[in-house]
Amino acid sequence: MHEQSIVESLLTLALEKAEKANACKIVSVNLVVGDYTGVMEDAVDFYFSFLSKDTIAAGAKINYTHVPGQLRCRDCDFLFPLQKHDYRCPKCEGKRVEIVGGRELYIENMEVE
Amino acid sequence: MRAKTLSIKENILGANAEKAEINRKLLDSHDILMVNIMSSSGSGKTSLIIRTIDELKHKYRIAVIKGDIASSIDTDKITRQNVPAVQINTAGGCHLDAQMIRKALDTLDLDRTDLIFIENVGNLVCTADFDLGAHKNAVILSVPEGDDKPYKYPVMFVEADVVLVNKIDVLPYFDFRLDTFPEIISGLNPSAKVIPVSAKTGEGLDRWFTWIEERLR
């Protein structure tokens, strides 16, 4: 379960930012998660509620914005979602692609008091 | 107290990436090449490493850092090759991170090491998201797993510098299309090299040894 270490890093970052802003409570964290990261919401919520106990993030709500996997054709620049079992560009049939969306894993912002 | 919004826009794995960079600099200062080997479980990481140690240990001083969820079965096999092997038990964790590697590096004699292999936890999903400070990533995909894995786990193959297709000795019994596979990889990652091998029979391993040696010079 990679969510545990991801939540540890998430919590460290959130607490550090809240402390810098002299906040005494983290109300919510807005997280951006790409589909390729394989991060599961339920698992993040579970580890977060467990690991944030006794911190100012206890009880904070995590809101998720999911970013779908997206490919860019290296030949014609067309953007398209990953097809099952095919990377071929639907526009020019090119087979050379680059992943341009879906690997995101960052805190967009957080609500603090 | 009034609520306010703090803009963050920072990658959650940023701290890991910073530690990875420190690892890389440490290795560079000792002129060490570190190769991170990733694959699913059972694709032949340990067998490949043992074969490689056999071939190269008389020319280079090799060490192995080995991640596993539990047990030291594989590390014991590697220690029998008379090279230093550090076991990291991740206690359920499905990947290694830069901090774990740093602790392992601290137990090795870096002044007497030329080449370090990291045997990552068997997992195609998330290991590639954690930079460890290695110079090169080698991904192993074995024939029985099927040639569709780059579609299912593209990130792993995007991060690869070399993709070893292992167990080619059993190709006749599986539907793995070795002729079209390199095109799938080069479409996704033009700089990755594909090397078909059999860690069992030794077929193709010369090209892998050459690939390593070219990076050691």
Side-chain angles (χ1 to χ4, degrees), chain B residues 154-173:
Chain B
V155 170
M156 178 64 62
F157 295 91
V158 165
E159 295 297 330
D161 295 291
V162 60
V163 177
L164 297 154
V165 180
N166 192 22
K167 308 190 187 179
I168 54 168
D169 48 305
V170 297
L171 267 172
Y173 308 102

mmCIF file of all heavy atoms in Angstrom, chain B residues 154-173:
data_model
loop_
_atom_site.group_PDB
_atom_site.id
_atom_site.type_symbol
_atom_site.label_atom_id
_atom_site.label_comp_id
_atom_site.label_asym_id
_atom_site.label_seq_id
_atom_site.Cartn_x
_atom_site.Cartn_y
_atom_site.Cartn_z
ATOM 1 N N PRO B 154 2.075 2.338 -17.829
ATOM 2 C CA PRO B 154 2.961 3.119 -18.706
ATOM 3 C C PRO B 154 4.072 3.872 -17.963
ATOM 4 O O PRO B 154 5.173 4.000 -18.477
ATOM 5 C CB PRO B 154 2.011 4.098 -19.406
ATOM 6 C CG PRO B 154 0.773 4.134 -18.578
ATOM 7 C CD PRO B 154 0.671 2.796 -17.909
ATOM 8 N N VAL B 155 3.786 4.314 -16.732
ATOM 9 C CA VAL B 155 4.767 5.143 -16.018
ATOM 10 C C VAL B 155 6.081 4.396 -15.820
ATOM 11 O O VAL B 155 7.171 4.933 -16.012
ATOM 12 C CB VAL B 155 4.188 5.613 -14.663
ATOM 13 C CG1 VAL B 155 5.260 6.265 -13.815
ATOM 14 C CG2 VAL B 155 3.024 6.575 -14.900
ATOM 15 N N MET B 156 5.962 3.128 -15.442
ATOM 16 C CA MET B 156 7.135 2.289 -15.226
ATOM 17 C C MET B 156 8.034 2.284 -16.464
ATOM 18 O O MET B 156 9.248 2.394 -16.387
ATOM 19 C CB MET B 156 6.645 0.866 -14.922
ATOM 20 C CG MET B 156 7.690 -0.156 -14.725
ATOM 21 S SD MET B 156 8.703 0.161 -13.304
ATOM 22 C CE MET B 156 7.517 0.082 -11.981
ATOM 23 N N PHE B 157 7.401 2.168 -17.641
ATOM 24 C CA PHE B 157 8.175 2.048 -18.873
ATOM 25 C C PHE B 157 8.675 3.404 -19.369
ATOM 26 O O PHE B 157 9.675 3.489 -20.071
ATOM 27 C CB PHE B 157 7.347 1.298 -19.931
ATOM 28 C CG PHE B 157 7.095 -0.124 -19.519
ATOM 29 C CD1 PHE B 157 5.956 -0.467 -18.796
ATOM 30 C CD2 PHE B 157 8.033 -1.112 -19.782
ATOM 31 C CE1 PHE B 157 5.742 -1.775 -18.368
ATOM 32 C CE2 PHE B 157 7.837 -2.418 -19.358
ATOM 33 C CZ PHE B 157 6.692 -2.756 -18.648
ATOM 34 N N VAL B 158 7.970 4.475 -18.974
ATOM 35 C CA VAL B 158 8.436 5.819 -19.301
ATOM 36 C C VAL B 158 9.718 6.134 -18.523
ATOM 37 O O VAL B 158 10.617 6.816 -19.012
ATOM 38 C CB VAL B 158 7.344 6.870 -18.979
ATOM 39 C CG1 VAL B 158 7.908 8.276 -18.960
ATOM 40 C CG2 VAL B 158 6.215 6.779 -19.999
ATOM 41 N N GLU B 159 9.814 5.616 -17.309
ATOM 42 C CA GLU B 159 10.975 5.908 -16.456
ATOM 43 C C GLU B 159 12.164 4.984 -16.735
ATOM 44 O O GLU B 159 13.229 5.162 -16.152
ATOM 45 C CB GLU B 159 10.583 5.793 -14.974
ATOM 46 C CG GLU B 159 9.561 6.823 -14.513
ATOM 47 C CD GLU B 159 10.068 8.263 -14.603
ATOM 48 O OE1 GLU B 159 11.281 8.468 -14.472
ATOM 49 O OE2 GLU B 159 9.243 9.157 -14.834
ATOM 50 N N ALA B 160 11.969 3.987 -17.603
ATOM 51 C CA ALA B 160 13.025 2.995 -17.839
ATOM 52 C C ALA B 160 14.115 3.528 -18.768
ATOM 53 O O ALA B 160 13.821 4.213 -19.744
ATOM 54 C CB ALA B 160 12.414 1.735 -18.447
ATOM 55 N N ASP B 161 15.368 3.211 -18.453
ATOM 56 C CA ASP B 161 16.457 3.451 -19.395
ATOM 57 C C ASP B 161 16.706 2.203 -20.230
ATOM 58 O O ASP B 161 17.180 2.284 -21.346
ATOM 59 C CB ASP B 161 17.731 3.827 -18.633
ATOM 60 C CG ASP B 161 17.561 5.154 -17.910
ATOM 61 O OD1 ASP B 161 17.470 6.179 -18.598
ATOM 62 O OD2 ASP B 161 17.470 5.147 -16.671
ATOM 63 N N VAL B 162 16.390 1.061 -19.621
ATOM 64 C CA VAL B 162 16.537 -0.201 -20.351
ATOM 65 C C VAL B 162 15.390 -1.124 -19.917
ATOM 66 O O VAL B 162 15.008 -1.135 -18.750
ATOM 67 C CB VAL B 162 17.930 -0.836 -20.105
ATOM 68 C CG1 VAL B 162 18.162 -1.132 -18.636
ATOM 69 C CG2 VAL B 162 18.126 -2.116 -20.923
ATOM 70 N N VAL B 163 14.802 -1.831 -20.881
ATOM 71 C CA VAL B 163 13.747 -2.803 -20.577
ATOM 72 C C VAL B 163 14.273 -4.185 -20.951
ATOM 73 O O VAL B 163 14.596 -4.439 -22.117
ATOM 74 C CB VAL B 163 12.444 -2.502 -21.359
ATOM 75 C CG1 VAL B 163 11.388 -3.564 -21.070
ATOM 76 C CG2 VAL B 163 11.913 -1.115 -21.021
ATOM 77 N N LEU B 164 14.399 -5.042 -19.951
ATOM 78 C CA LEU B 164 14.860 -6.409 -20.204
ATOM 79 C C LEU B 164 13.647 -7.314 -20.311
ATOM 80 O O LEU B 164 12.842 -7.384 -19.392
ATOM 81 C CB LEU B 164 15.757 -6.871 -19.052
ATOM 82 C CG LEU B 164 17.039 -6.050 -18.889
ATOM 83 C CD1 LEU B 164 17.539 -6.090 -17.465
ATOM 84 C CD2 LEU B 164 18.103 -6.548 -19.844
ATOM 85 N N VAL B 165 13.503 -7.984 -21.443
ATOM 86 C CA VAL B 165 12.430 -8.972 -21.581
ATOM 87 C C VAL B 165 13.028 -10.309 -21.171
ATOM 88 O O VAL B 165 13.823 -10.894 -21.913
ATOM 89 C CB VAL B 165 11.894 -9.042 -23.025
ATOM 90 C CG1 VAL B 165 10.781 -10.070 -23.130
ATOM 91 C CG2 VAL B 165 11.396 -7.677 -23.477
ATOM 92 N N ASN B 166 12.669 -10.750 -19.972
ATOM 93 C CA ASN B 166 13.305 -11.953 -19.410
ATOM 94 C C ASN B 166 12.480 -13.214 -19.710
ATOM 95 O O ASN B 166 11.308 -13.127 -20.049
ATOM 96 C CB ASN B 166 13.476 -11.773 -17.895
ATOM 97 C CG ASN B 166 14.376 -12.841 -17.280
ATOM 98 O OD1 ASN B 166 15.192 -13.465 -17.973
ATOM 99 N ND2 ASN B 166 14.228 -13.066 -15.984
ATOM 100 N N LYS B 167 13.113 -14.351 -19.553
ATOM 101 C CA LYS B 167 12.515 -15.675 -19.762
ATOM 102 C C LYS B 167 12.175 -15.932 -21.235
ATOM 103 O O LYS B 167 11.149 -16.541 -21.545
ATOM 104 C CB LYS B 167 11.253 -15.870 -18.890
ATOM 105 C CG LYS B 167 11.485 -15.554 -17.401
ATOM 106 C CD LYS B 167 10.338 -15.960 -16.513
ATOM 107 C CE LYS B 167 10.567 -15.464 -15.088
ATOM 108 N NZ LYS B 167 9.508 -15.770 -14.155
ATOM 109 N N ILE B 168 13.037 -15.467 -22.133
ATOM 110 C CA ILE B 168 12.748 -15.704 -23.558
ATOM 111 C C ILE B 168 12.874 -17.184 -23.907
ATOM 112 O O ILE B 168 12.446 -17.604 -24.977
ATOM 113 C CB ILE B 168 13.625 -14.839 -24.501
ATOM 114 C CG1 ILE B 168 15.113 -15.029 -24.192
ATOM 115 C CG2 ILE B 168 13.244 -13.370 -24.425
ATOM 116 C CD1 ILE B 168 16.017 -14.445 -25.263
ATOM 117 N N ASP B 169 13.427 -17.979 -22.968
ATOM 118 C CA ASP B 169 13.501 -19.423 -23.219
ATOM 119 C C ASP B 169 12.111 -20.061 -23.246
ATOM 120 O O ASP B 169 11.934 -21.145 -23.791
ATOM 121 C CB ASP B 169 14.385 -20.116 -22.161
ATOM 122 C CG ASP B 169 14.036 -19.703 -20.738
ATOM 123 O OD1 ASP B 169 14.046 -18.481 -20.458
ATOM 124 O OD2 ASP B 169 13.738 -20.589 -19.926
ATOM 125 N N VAL B 170 11.093 -19.393 -22.687
ATOM 126 C CA VAL B 170 9.741 -19.980 -22.712
ATOM 127 C C VAL B 170 8.821 -19.293 -23.736
ATOM 128 O O VAL B 170 7.609 -19.519 -23.740
ATOM 129 C CB VAL B 170 9.070 -19.971 -21.308
ATOM 130 C CG1 VAL B 170 9.865 -20.835 -20.346
ATOM 131 C CG2 VAL B 170 8.908 -18.558 -20.754
ATOM 132 N N LEU B 171 9.403 -18.488 -24.621
ATOM 133 C CA LEU B 171 8.600 -17.793 -25.648
ATOM 134 C C LEU B 171 7.647 -18.706 -26.419
ATOM 135 O O LEU B 171 6.501 -18.316 -26.694
ATOM 136 C CB LEU B 171 9.514 -17.065 -26.638
ATOM 137 C CG LEU B 171 9.847 -15.593 -26.344
ATOM 138 C CD1 LEU B 171 10.907 -15.096 -27.319
ATOM 139 C CD2 LEU B 171 8.603 -14.709 -26.433
ATOM 140 N N PRO B 172 8.053 -19.926 -26.791
ATOM 141 C CA PRO B 172 7.148 -20.770 -27.590
ATOM 142 C C PRO B 172 5.839 -21.108 -26.872
ATOM 143 O O PRO B 172 4.877 -21.491 -27.522
ATOM 144 C CB PRO B 172 7.966 -22.056 -27.819
ATOM 145 C CG PRO B 172 9.381 -21.670 -27.598
ATOM 146 C CD PRO B 172 9.376 -20.550 -26.613
ATOM 147 N N TYR B 173 5.821 -20.976 -25.562
ATOM 148 C CA TYR B 173 4.627 -21.381 -24.812
ATOM 149 C C TYR B 173 3.703 -20.212 -24.461
ATOM 150 O O TYR B 173 2.691 -20.399 -23.811
ATOM 151 C CB TYR B 173 5.045 -22.109 -23.521
ATOM 152 C CG TYR B 173 6.017 -23.219 -23.792
ATOM 153 C CD1 TYR B 173 7.374 -23.058 -23.538
ATOM 154 C CD2 TYR B 173 5.579 -24.416 -24.354
ATOM 155 C CE1 TYR B 173 8.277 -24.059 -23.823
ATOM 156 C CE2 TYR B 173 6.484 -25.425 -24.646
ATOM 157 C CZ TYR B 173 7.819 -25.243 -24.378
ATOM 158 O OH TYR B 173 8.706 -26.240 -24.674
#
